[in-house]
Amino acid sequence: MDADTLIRNTTIITMDAERRVITDGAIAWSGDRIVAIGKSADLDITATTTLDGRRFLVAPGFVNGHVHLTEALLKGFMPEALPFDESLFTWVMPLYEAHTPQEQQVAARLAALSMIRTGTTTFLDASTTVALDEVFEAVEPSGLRGRFGRWQQDRAFGPDGQLEATDAALRALETDLARYPGGDGQRLAAWPMLVGHNTNTDELWRAAKALADAHRAGISAHLSPAPNDAEWFVANTGRRPVEHLASLGVLGPNLNLVHMVHVDESELALLAESGTNVTHCPAAALKGGYGSAAVGRFPEMAAAGVNLALGTDGSDIADMMKPMNLMAGLFKDARRDTSLFPATSALEMATVNGARAMGMADSIGSLAVGMKADIVLHDLDRPEWRPVNNYVRQLVWSADGRGVHSVWIDGKRVVDNYACTTLDEEKVLADAQATADAIMGRSGLPYVYDWPVL
């Protein structure tokens, strides 16, 4: 058999249906698809490029189920001790509004670099992008695979503007789907995504669901990180958030709800029955004090069969290995039950579950013949890896994204020997610093330091 690239003499975490870990293994691909995988001794392959993989662990690329692409410049700026509403409306929203389209582009380019360098090959944007065209132009050359959507919140909380806002939002969804259509060969495409919480009308929810169904796309929206969402929905609809979405007919396998910390038993049952996906962002929950460990029902969701994925969320991190690590430990401690979310489950959430939430489980998230060649080499010759005793446990508990040596997306090498091949890293970082300084300087928000800075 002929192939473009072959890696031999390596260890492979396949994440296939049998969850095989192949030692002294080999994997080969042609174009964007894997053509062979198995024991090195069993594969007779002639490849244009052959790599000796004995130094590496081969794994599927991570799927980041929730990332704010245009928030990458804000890391470290916002104070920690903020209530949820103050954090959102006094800091996050004004800082978003302070970005020009070109500055959103700089932020998205930094987010893309951060994800690629730490082993993420596919992302789902958090639907808070404003300058969609500029963001697409920034991310496309990186080689990343992703789905994204323009910021859509149409509910007018005052007496005027409701019909106009909903009509404008619907037109924007239709425009974006036409401009950036999906399909098997499209690395980047638009989804009819919504901001969520209580910001979207019933009319827009129904329209977004109809568009997603018609275009074989998905929807992603924020919901219930704090009690506020449930309080608003009960007061205004008489139902809890998930119950209300069920009444609109929008639950289902092409819906991804993000955060979902404050969920009751009836909502959990509806999620499981409908096949709706849930993406948890444990780092954001811990930093924001959402109460994830105290009241989150994620173990119960998993037991009920809800598909759980993971995301990095906002500005602080883009390394998917951090939420994997947190998810593996958070509920062990909260419930005093070490059987909850073992390393194997955390890795599933970051790969196959994320692929399922994005409707791509037949092409990404695992390594098998016919799947996309989205492949990551983790460098085992590092102190955090040695000695190697259990590949999966150490990937989740010991390692982090700094050990990612090489990455391929669609069979093309986008990271080689710790360097991105598709983006000018030096320029990306310099542009990010200069742009962040400009945004913070004109935002009107103060620099808040905990200790004296001289």
Side-chain angles (χ1 to χ4, degrees):
M1 178 185 295
D2 294 332
D4 294 334
T5 305
L6 168 67
I7 304 174
R8 299 183 62 87
N9 309 316
T10 194
T11 298
I12 307 168
I13 297 177
T14 66
M15 300 307 297
D16 64 9
E18 299 173 12
R19 301 295 192 262
R20 294 179 301 160
V21 178
I22 304 172
T23 58
D24 193 16
I27 182 169
W29 61 94
S30 288
D32 65 347
R33 299 282 176 171
I34 297 169
V35 296
I37 186 169
K39 288 284 192 180
S40 293
D42 297 336
L43 300 185
D44 183 14
I45 295 172
T46 301
T48 304
T49 301
T50 299
L51 304 175
D52 186 343
R54 69 189 71 227
R55 171 184 164 188
F56 303 110
L57 172 69
V58 177
F62 297 123
V63 180
N64 190 338
H66 187 75
V67 57
H68 290 260
L69 289 176
T70 53
E71 203 174 298
L73 301 178
L74 308 184
K75 60 174 68 77
F77 184 67
M78 292 178 287
E80 290 182 70
L82 295 173
F84 181 77
D85 283 353
E86 184 179 350
S87 172
L88 187 62
F89 296 113
T90 303
W91 290 83
V92 174
M93 300 288 281
L95 285 168
Y96 267 124
E97 292 167 357
H99 285 64
T100 67
Q102 290 70 35
E103 288 168 340
Q104 281 213 335
Q105 190 171 62
V106 171
R109 195 174 289 118
L110 176 63
L113 175 63
S114 300
M115 286 191 284
I116 288 174
R117 283 287 307 275
T118 53
T120 289
T121 55
T122 302
F123 70 88
L124 182 55
D125 180 40
S127 67
T128 48
T129 295
V130 176
L132 198 66
D133 291 343
E134 285 81 1
V135 167
F136 180 91
E137 291 170 6
V139 175
E140 200 282 331
S142 74
L144 272 171
R145 187 187 317 284
R147 298 293 180 264
F148 55 97
R150 202 185 329 179
W151 190 315
Q152 299 296 348
Q153 48 184 30
D154 69 313
R155 187 182 299 283
F157 290 94
D160 301 316
Q162 188 67 75
L163 292 175
E164 293 83 355
T166 300
D167 186 57
L170 179 55
R171 287 199 307 270
L173 294 179
E174 292 171 338
T175 297
D176 295 343
L177 283 166
R179 185 165 173 79
Y180 301 109
D184 188 49
Q186 298 297 117
R187 282 189 297 104
L188 297 178
W191 275 9
M193 296 200 288
L194 306 178
V195 171
H197 300 300
N198 62 349
T199 70
N200 300 114
T201 62
D202 294 352
E203 291 77 13
L204 191 62
W205 266 109
R206 291 192 184 100
K209 172 65 172 176
L211 284 170
D213 291 346
H215 289 265
R216 301 180 65 186
I219 310 170
S220 190
H222 304 79
L223 198 65
S224 297
N228 311 48
D229 286 348
E231 292 166 359
W232 187 93
F233 274 90
V234 170
N236 288 273
T237 73
R239 305 181 184 94
R240 290 183 64 87
V242 177
E243 293 173 332
H244 186 67
L245 294 183
S247 75
L248 300 178
V250 301
L251 298 183
N254 64 348
L255 175 61
N256 178 48
L257 295 175
V258 181
H259 298 311
M260 300 299 288
V261 173
H262 293 266
V263 175
D264 74 0
E265 290 290 344
S266 66
E267 292 179 294
L268 193 157
L270 288 168
L271 293 169
E273 292 165 8
S274 63
T276 299
N277 306 283
V278 170
T279 293
H280 186 35
C281 303
L286 289 172
K287 186 180 180 185
Y290 296 167
S292 174
V295 302
R297 296 174 179 268
F298 297 98
E300 289 79 11
M301 290 185 200
V306 176
N307 183 55
L308 294 179
L310 291 175
T312 57
D313 198 39
S315 59
D316 293 301
I317 61 171
D319 181 355
M320 276 292 290
M321 297 177 77
K322 291 186 177 181
M324 265 203 315
N325 178 280
L326 289 173
M327 197 67 186
L330 192 61
F331 293 95
K332 287 181 172 67
D333 178 70
R335 306 289 181 86
R336 297 183 181 183
D337 182 352
T338 55
S339 70
L340 294 175
F341 297 126
T344 51
S345 294
L347 183 55
E348 287 174 335
M349 292 178 204
T351 54
V352 291
N353 290 14
R356 179 179 168 190
M358 295 187 67
M360 300 181 184
D362 61 345
S363 59
I364 66 167
S366 61
L367 303 179
V369 172
M371 300 292 281
K372 290 280 192 176
D374 289 4
I375 294 164
V376 177
L377 296 190
H378 298 269
D379 191 345
L380 302 180
D381 280 346
R382 295 174 58 91
E384 67 268 23
W385 270 104
R386 294 294 179 184
V388 179
N389 297 309
N390 184 292
Y391 295 100
V392 174
R393 290 177 198 152
Q394 288 178 243
L395 182 63
V396 172
W397 286 109
S398 306
D400 60 42
R402 290 171 294 181
V404 170
H405 178 279
S406 296
V407 178
W408 289 261
I409 303 175
D410 264 352
K412 298 177 181 178
R413 198 167 194 169
V414 297
V415 176
D416 183 1
N417 193 24
Y418 297 101
C420 183
T421 65
T422 56
L423 298 172
D424 182 339
E425 293 194 27
E426 185 175 350
K427 180 172 172 31
V428 170
L429 300 179
D431 288 350
Q433 187 65 62
T435 303
D437 290 344
I439 292 170
M440 307 316 173
R442 66 172 186 270
S443 70
L445 293 165
Y447 283 84
V448 179
Y449 297 104
D450 301 304
W451 292 337
V453 177
L454 306 180

